[in-house]
Amino acid sequence: AVATSLRPQPRTAAVAQAAETARVARVKGQICGDPDLQGDVLGTVAGRGACGVENAVRVKSVAGIRFPANPTMNCETAIALKIWVQRGAIPQVGGEGGGIRSIRTASDYACRNRNNQSGEKLSEHAQGRAIDIAGIKLNFGREITVLQGWGSGDAKGLAVDIHSGAELGEFRLGPSARAVRCVHVHHR
């Protein structure tokens, strides 16, 4: 039976070239040494006082999912974000609405105090160690938002599950995540 089985046809030159072009583009746009993280290397981003980001990057996509706001963070946070996307968001959303198209952020690097309150300690955002996820756009057009999905309706369970999925990996939720109605992810 082995001798009579069909061998697959070799790839055509056009198919091989297209695959190589895609591979080179993916490697070229990678950040933090990870082709699943696409964006721009910013280096050191200076800030006033104790603010600023070392090893800063601008994230355009994570595991093939776009981040239209192109949030700024450090590489450790970008890697933690990838873990949440791959092990939390993607599995929780699954095929709902055709899967995830993009993720909307509410806040990334910002030189500010916790909860924007004077007298508070400096926020993790002030060193590029945090990002707030506000919504997930699905391929069929619907958006699941933490704000609208938290209270009631059919998106409630999914929003809570996505929020709970942020407990995975090398990051944790910030203390104000529920109050501001976003998933607040930062690396440990």
Side-chain angles (χ1 to χ4, degrees):
V2 172
T4 61
S5 66
L6 296 175
R7 292 184 158 261
Q9 294 292 323
R11 290 183 178 183
T12 66
V15 169
Q17 180 60 40
E20 179 60 12
T21 300
R23 185 194 69 76
V24 168
R26 189 166 185 245
V27 170
K28 183 179 178 184
Q30 76 179 351
I31 54 175
C32 306
D34 189 334
D36 281 336
L37 295 169
Q38 296 286 303
D40 300 313
V41 174
L42 302 176
T44 299
V45 174
R48 69 181 194 279
C51 294
V53 185
E54 299 218 6
N55 199 19
V57 294
R58 181 177 295 119
V59 177
K60 294 181 179 179
S61 71
V62 174
I65 297 171
R66 292 182 308 110
F67 279 72
N70 298 326
T72 297
M73 63 195 74
N74 66 19
C75 272
E76 291 82 8
T77 304
I79 291 166
L81 179 62
K82 173 191 162 186
I83 293 168
W84 174 75
V85 166
Q86 290 182 323
R87 297 184 192 169
I90 291 173
Q92 293 297 336
V93 172
E96 177 84 20
I100 301 173
R101 175 189 301 168
S102 63
I103 296 179
R104 183 169 51 88
T105 57
S107 180
D108 51 288
Y109 169 66
C111 186
R112 64 176 176 85
N113 294 338
R114 288 184 185 170
N115 300 320
N116 290 311
Q117 300 294 315
S118 62
E120 289 288 329
K121 291 181 179 181
L122 208 55
S123 170
E124 293 293 319
H125 291 271
Q127 279 89 41
R129 294 192 301 242
I131 182 170
D132 293 340
I133 307 298
I136 295 177
K137 180 90 170 191
L138 303 178
N139 279 311
F140 296 161
R142 187 172 130 219
E143 183 178 33
I144 299 168
T145 66
V146 178
L147 177 62
Q148 293 171 342
W150 203 270
S152 63
D154 63 348
K156 178 182 179 180
L158 191 52
V160 173
D161 289 345
I162 290 167
H163 184 271
S164 299
E167 297 291 349
L168 300 168
E170 293 294 317
F171 52 88
R172 60 188 175 87
L173 297 177
S176 63
R178 280 191 71 167
V180 297
R181 299 291 196 248
C182 58
V183 177
H184 176 85
V185 179
H186 61 94
H187 74 88
R188 294 179 196 231

